[in-house]
Each structure stands twice: as structure tokens, then as C-alpha cells.
Amino acid sequence: MKTIVFIDADFDLFKTCFMEDGEWDNCKFEVAPDPCSAGHLASLLTSDNVSAVVFQEGRTKHWEALKQLGFTWRFSSYTCHEFELTPKAISHLGNSAIQQQYTKSNLISAPEEDRWMVPKTATIEEYVSDIVGYSEEATADEETLDEIREAKANYPKHIEELRNQCPLAVHEGPNGGKFIYLGFVNGDGNIPKYVRGAIMGEKITASE
């Protein structure tokens, strides 16, 4: 029996969006005390009896407690993107469902090692064309050429800022426990499979 502990979570939303019939029968769900201290969070992460601790609220009151444990997770925004799994997530979940269709989520900033899903990014040519309206340096006039070069210089910062907006983040503890942030507000596409795969440690298969 796997124990899943919820922190600042909307369990009704979780059941509605993510619990497919029969797929959670071997799980025990608990709700942590409110408020939950940094010490209690630390004990949950290192407990042999807890498989995952789930955070499901972007503006969680427990950010400060997490900060005391060395976490730098922070609420970022509530917006729409097309998303994709990171290489780390693919190593855990497999590569059968790498991309998620355009959907709205509560996003957090998180260290690169904790990011499991991030917005899809444009190529540098697409980004420059979107910013300047033109991307061909060879045929650009001097003014447009300066704008193109400025956009190219800003591209790496744009990519990092965009990819630091996560609807799914996972921090793995020393005993196999996990802190999991779920920013999803619906069960679109393969989202229920991402959620189950992250919590249960299972490979997923894309929905048809």
C-alpha cells in the first residue's frame, strides 16, 4: 500500500481530474496537518512509509516552510502554454507522451533538476521573427539588423525564463520519497497519466 500525502491540495479536483477508475486502489491518501511545519515536511520526505507528498496549490502557504528546507520553488504565473516533458521526466515516464496540448496551469519556478514539464519553446528563428517581424540578416536594412541582433542576444534569457515555469515539478528524497508539485487544473490529454506516473513511479502510455 502506497501512502500519498496532500499539502494545500484540492482533493476533489484531484479525484475529478486525475483518478481514473481502479488505478489508485493500492494507495492510501492522507491530508497533512494545516499548517505543516518545515520539520514535519522534512519527516515526510524521508519517511519510508510515504511514497509522495503532493502540493497542488500555486500560492501555497507552505512556500516559507519549503524554503527552510532549502527549496527554491516559487509561484510563477497562471497561464496557458503547450508543454513538454524534460529529459529527466522522460527518463522516469518514458517517451510515449512527451508533449501536452495547449492548456492552462498554475506554474512555479523550480531548479532545473526538479523540472519535469516545461513550456515548449520556439526556435531562435521563430523567436526573432515573432519579435522583429523579420529574421534574415543578409537582406535586412541596418535598423532591422540591429533589432535582429538584439533579439538573438535576448533569446537565451527568454528560453530560461520560459522553461522556469513548471506545471509539474518533482524533488526526490534520499529514501525514495518525493515532493511533487501539480499545477494542472484539468485532466486534458495525457495529464492524468503524467500525474499518476510521477506519483506512482511508473512509465506511461499515451492516450489514443
Side-chain angles (χ1 to χ4, degrees):
M1 181 72 69
K2 295 188 176 183
T3 299
I4 315 299
V5 179
F6 286 84
I7 308 281
D8 284 348
D10 184 341
F11 193 53
D12 288 336
L13 174 67
F14 186 91
K15 289 188 291 185
T16 300
C17 294
F18 313 135
M19 293 185 72
E20 299 177 5
D21 291 344
E23 292 201 1
W24 300 87
D25 290 345
N26 62 338
C27 297
K28 177 184 177 183
F29 296 102
E30 296 182 356
V31 177
D34 186 11
C36 189
S37 68
H40 188 64
L41 287 175
S43 69
L44 291 174
L45 183 61
T46 57
S47 172
D48 292 329
N49 299 319
V50 176
S51 297
V53 179
V54 177
F55 297 82
Q56 201 185 339
E57 171 54 63
R59 296 177 177 85
T60 176
K61 67 184 74 172
H62 291 99
W63 287 146
E64 187 59 37
L66 285 171
K67 184 178 179 181
Q68 293 177 39
L69 300 180
F71 281 71
T72 55
W73 290 4
R74 287 291 181 273
F75 178 74
S76 175
S77 63
Y78 175 60
T79 189
C80 288
H81 287 292
E82 286 185 86
F83 294 99
E84 62 186 5
L85 297 180
T86 63
K88 183 171 184 178
I90 291 172
S91 71
H92 287 269
L93 303 179
N95 61 3
S96 68
I98 294 175
Q99 298 183 356
Q100 170 59 34
Q101 66 195 45
Y102 196 71
T103 191
K104 183 168 282 190
S105 300
N106 287 305
L107 309 176
I108 63 167
S109 63
E112 185 173 0
E113 62 270 19
D114 290 349
R115 301 173 193 169
W116 275 38
M117 182 172 281
V118 294
K120 290 181 64 178
T121 56
T123 65
I124 189 169
E125 291 80 12
E126 292 169 338
Y127 173 74
V128 171
S129 181
D130 185 54
I131 296 296
V132 181
Y134 193 79
S135 62
E136 297 296 329
E137 291 190 28
T139 55
D141 59 42
E142 196 63 34
E143 181 179 355
T144 304
L145 186 59
D146 287 343
E147 293 177 354
I148 291 173
R149 288 171 176 167
E150 181 179 3
K152 285 186 174 181
N154 291 334
Y155 179 72
K157 180 180 179 182
H158 162 75
I159 292 299
E160 173 53 28
E161 289 177 347
L162 189 62
R163 294 184 74 83
N164 195 17
Q165 300 184 53
C166 310
L168 176 61
V170 180
H171 179 86
E172 297 172 284
N175 296 338
K178 295 174 287 189
F179 279 180
I180 300 175
Y181 173 76
L182 303 177
F184 306 115
V185 296
N186 57 58
D188 290 350
N190 289 299
I191 288 176
K193 295 182 181 296
Y194 298 133
V195 170
R196 178 174 172 80
I199 291 176
M200 302 299 287
E202 298 174 351
K203 300 288 185 182
I204 66 173
T205 303
S207 301
E208 296 182 359

